[in-house]
């Protein structure tokens, strides 16, 4: 994965790593109402790692309208707690 400018986010990575999926799944554990399926992610190294995921969004209702969301997650350094869900932004056409 290539890195952009120092302090910035990496480029989008469409090969979801097991580490990225673990962070995503742990941060969204227990979230109800919408099922999210990530298809790419970018990272930013801070005192831990910021993750930005783009994901398909499928509301849990009959005949849902599908969408895309940008999901922000912070993964602290090892031993400092679980990943924390930040903002979920709907992406509109």
């Amino acid at each position: 994965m290539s890195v952009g400018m120092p302090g910035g986010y990496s480029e989008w990575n469409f090969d979801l790593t097991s580490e990225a999926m673990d962070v995503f799944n742990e941060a969204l554990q227990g979230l109800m109402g919408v099922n999210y399926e990530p298809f790419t992610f970018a990272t930013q190294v801070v005192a831990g790692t910021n993750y930005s995921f783009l994901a398909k969004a499928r509301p849990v209702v009959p005949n849902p309208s599908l969408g895309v969301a940008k999901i922000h997650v912070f993964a602290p350094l090892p031993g400092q707690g679980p990943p924390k869900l930040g903002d979920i932004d709907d992406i509109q056409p």
Side-chain angles (χ1 to χ4, degrees), residues 3 5-10 19 42-52 72-78 80 84:
V3 176
M5 75 174 164
Y9 272 87
S10 66
E19 178 183 354
T43 58
Q44 177 188 39
V45 176
V46 290
T49 304
N50 287 322
Y51 284 81
S52 183
H72 304 275
V73 175
F74 172 69
L77 294 171
Q80 296 191 359
K84 295 174 181 54

Side-chain angles (χ1 to χ4, degrees), residues 1-83:
M1 172 178 9
S2 64
V3 176
M5 75 174 164
Y9 272 87
S10 66
E11 293 180 11
W12 291 109
N13 184 347
F14 288 87
D15 294 320
L16 292 168
T17 64
S18 60
E19 178 183 354
M21 285 303 300
D22 289 346
V23 167
F24 183 87
N25 290 332
E26 192 169 354
L28 274 71
Q29 183 177 23
L31 186 67
M32 297 170 45
V34 179
N35 288 330
Y36 293 103
E37 180 184 339
F39 57 88
T40 187
F41 75 102
T43 58
Q44 177 188 39
V45 176
V46 290
T49 304
N50 287 322
Y51 284 81
S52 183
F53 293 92
L54 291 181
K56 296 177 191 175
R58 180 185 301 268
V60 183
V61 296
N63 303 314
S65 295
L66 300 179
V68 176
K70 188 174 188 182
I71 301 171
H72 304 275
V73 175
F74 172 69
L77 294 171
Q80 296 191 359

